[in-house]
Amino acid sequence: MDLNSYAELAVRLVNTAGAGGQDGDRLANLDGLRALVADREHLNTGVTRNDLDLLRDLRTELRGFFVACSEGDGEDAAAQLNTLLIQHPVHPQLSGHDSQPWHVHYTESGSVADKYAAGAVMGLAVRLTDVGIDRFGICQAAGCPGVFIDTSTSNTRRYCSERCMNRANVSAYRARKRGEDEGGGAAH
């Protein structure tokens, strides 16, 4: 069972709201939903407008979980996940799709939104118990609403993507250069 990929479903969903320096809502229509689940065979068929609406609502709820974690509020984070676990019950089932060996999926029943939600929420719950709330963060790049799970050994991740990290580093460099040019350029 690849719990990282299930928790990553939550990150991917939240980050459809313009994270990583992307403009606009990438979950604005059914094509956006199809793109979100394109690499998940058990999720990428039969998407409906109802799935889209439900996943947009779930995205907001999952963002609240990441906010609680980033604020160090473990009680709120756990309460939010517990509520989501009740709303989206998990039904483990063996699966052998795509010529893969037998493995566990959290659910194969219900709509695309049901499957996505159950996997994402369960993945977050397991990751939270494994690594703690300080590994769940919100992107520090100006204007980016992205989230991430820090899997680094040093727990130093601050950005949702390399693109945001690079943009922030360039911005900081330019600010330092402006400061040097304004304040220290004449002292030779």
Side-chain angles (χ1 to χ4, degrees), residues 38-146:
D39 64 334
R40 303 285 178 134
E41 182 180 322
H42 68 288
L43 296 174
N44 69 13
T45 56
V47 297
T48 67
R49 179 73 190 176
N50 190 51
D51 291 321
L52 178 64
D53 294 340
L54 291 171
L55 287 174
R56 289 175 61 107
D57 290 343
L58 178 63
R59 176 175 67 183
T60 300
E61 294 178 271
L62 292 174
R63 178 158 182 73
F65 163 78
F66 280 91
V67 168
C69 288
S70 71
E71 293 173 350
D73 191 345
E75 293 292 322
D76 187 30
Q80 288 186 46
L81 274 185
N82 282 333
T83 297
L84 289 169
L85 285 166
I86 291 167
Q87 290 173 355
H88 307 285
V90 175
H91 306 284
Q93 184 174 350
L94 287 174
S95 179
H97 63 84
D98 297 334
S99 302
Q100 295 179 13
W102 289 107
H103 57 282
V104 175
H105 278 276
Y106 284 126
T107 185
E108 289 296 331
S109 59
S111 69
V112 169
D114 291 335
K115 294 174 197 178
Y116 198 105
V121 172
M122 187 62 187
L124 286 179
V126 171
R127 293 295 288 165
L128 178 67
T129 60
D130 285 346
V131 300
I133 66 167
D134 62 328
R135 294 296 185 133
F136 296 82
I138 296 179
C139 188
Q140 299 300 305
C144 181

Side-chain angles (χ1 to χ4, degrees), residues 7-27 36 55 58-60 62-63 66 116 137-139 144-149 157 159-162 164:
E8 189 60 30
L9 288 174
V11 171
R12 287 169 58 176
L13 180 60
V14 174
N15 287 347
T16 61
Q22 301 289 329
D23 293 326
D25 183 354
R26 292 188 314 271
L27 201 57
L36 176 68
L55 287 174
L58 178 63
R59 176 175 67 183
T60 300
L62 292 174
R63 178 158 182 73
F66 280 91
Y116 198 105
I138 296 179
C139 188
C144 181
V147 300
F148 59 87
I149 302 171
R157 185 168 174 183
Y159 303 102
C160 68
S161 66
E162 283 191 35
C164 277

